Amino acid sequence: MKNYKIAVLAGDGIGPEIMNQALKVLDIVEKRNDVRFELMPASFGACAYFSDGKAFPDETIAICDEADTILKGTIGLGHEESQKIPVDERPERGALLPLRKRYNTYANFRPVSLPPVLSHFSPLKPNVIGRGIDFMIIRELVGGLYFGAKKRGVDKDGKRWVHETLEYDEEQIRRILHVAFQTAMKRKKVLHNVHKSNVLVSSVLWNEIVEEVAPEYPDVTVKQVLVDAAATAMCLNPGQFDVMVMENMFGDILSDQGGGILGSLGLMPSACIGDKKSYFEPSHGSAPDIAGQNIANPYAMVGSVAMMLDMIMDLEQESKNIWKAMQSVFAEGFSTPDLSNTDVESKMIGTDAFGDKIVAHLKNI
Ligand code: IPM
Ligand code: MG
């Protein structure tokens, strides 16, 4: 029997509502497999700041340290509410980035995937997406502009200035490239390397390392694409992509665009993998405007559970079952009000009911 300690960080906004659905799914998986999940809930984000004075409280750090892995909901408040929190304790800077840094979760997997049964959600025309969309964005998650030195000041004339540094060393680049090549090996063996080497010297070094690593994966075809051109190509012909790799900031932006071509970031789970610890979270935010209304779709949160089972727990079959169960709910014509922006009419149900339907399908698989 395998035992996993899972830190459960439901977070802010819609986080707790969608996390509840993820836990229902985990419960089924536990009941019918030789596995035990020890769930360790902890507060994280703005809610933690208001209750403990810190967005990533010491107690939560201790729980995450002890856990084998971490399941995270969403964090963040609306603009007005977040003004009540000092800048360094706002959930993004005070909780999320420190979490990534502490566990060195450098490999962020963001599947831009829309199976045929969900393809009506995409704003792209059917002749552009064909039978769906399916590629993987691999984003470096603990380097670049996000974590480089930052400084601001005022010059002698009173003019304000800022320095923000894009930092990478070759080791950081090499390890994410290995992840990307290995992922490409498991898929279609085509890797798009996304960069901006016509301007950025960081991309020049990045591409040098690509040249060095590529010979270790002779079966993988590397395709070079500038980040701006990649943004266009994702809209015009997403089918050409299978695995894309890029640095942190490019990945932040292009993965949101990935959510856009799916029809919603609510359709994008994610995995953040480090050498020792990993965490799993939906790619979307906390949607404070719809929090507490039981209308958020749990797809990305439950999908993050599926990624966890597949990527670090050897429960690939259950992972597949979860994807299948979620697709079956959509195939029956159900959706949640936050995912209603489509020409196809859906039967609208709440977050809880959607979770229950996933569970019902899962039980039957
Ligand atoms: C994401 C988010 C975060 C990021 C924010 C919340 C700091 O946009 O996970 O993509 O920029 O990485
Ligand atoms: Mg983002």
Side-chain angles (χ1 to χ4, degrees), residues 280-322:
F280 299 83
E281 64 177 355
S283 300
H284 60 75
S286 58
D289 52 324
I290 60 163
Q293 296 176 36
N294 195 37
I295 62 174
N297 200 284
Y299 185 92
M301 184 75 243
V302 175
S304 300
V305 169
M307 291 185 83
M308 175 181 84
L309 299 178
D310 173 39
M311 295 177 83
I312 63 162
M313 293 181 177
D314 293 330
L315 285 160
E316 294 90 352
Q317 190 53 50
E318 285 290 29
S319 173
K320 287 195 183 111
N321 296 341
I322 292 172

Side-chain angles (χ1 to χ4, degrees), residues 92 96-97 100 110 139 141 146 252 255-256 281 283:
E92 297 81 2
L96 183 59
L97 299 183
R100 290 176 181 170
R110 295 194 162 176
R139 166 188 178 193
L141 200 59
Y146 277 64
D252 180 45
S255 63
D256 263 40
E281 64 177 355
S283 300

Side-chain angles (χ1 to χ4, degrees), residues 104 106-107 140 142-143 167-179 205-206 208-210 212-213 216 275:
N104 205 12
Y106 59 87
E140 201 290 327
V142 296
E167 291 176 8
Y168 274 109
D169 65 37
E170 62 178 292
E171 201 38 55
Q172 279 178 302
I173 299 170
R174 191 170 287 113
R175 67 185 179 182
I176 189 71
L177 291 176
H178 278 293
V179 170
L205 176 62
W206 180 283
E208 278 171 28
I209 313 294
V210 171
E212 290 167 21
V213 173
E216 294 181 47
D275 288 333

Side-chain angles (χ1 to χ4, degrees), residues 121 130 280 285 331 365:
F121 286 116
F280 299 83
I365 299 178

Side-chain angles (χ1 to χ4, degrees), residues 70-102:
I70 299 163
L71 199 53
K72 179 191 150 286
T74 56
I75 52 140
L77 299 175
H79 183 73
E80 215 159 280
E81 281 294 297
S82 68
Q83 305 302 309
K84 298 180 187 159
I85 305 181
V87 174
D88 286 339
E89 284 302 327
R90 290 193 191 148
E92 297 81 2
R93 277 201 190 78
L96 183 59
L97 299 183
L99 176 80
R100 290 176 181 170
K101 196 71 189 170
R102 182 171 187 86

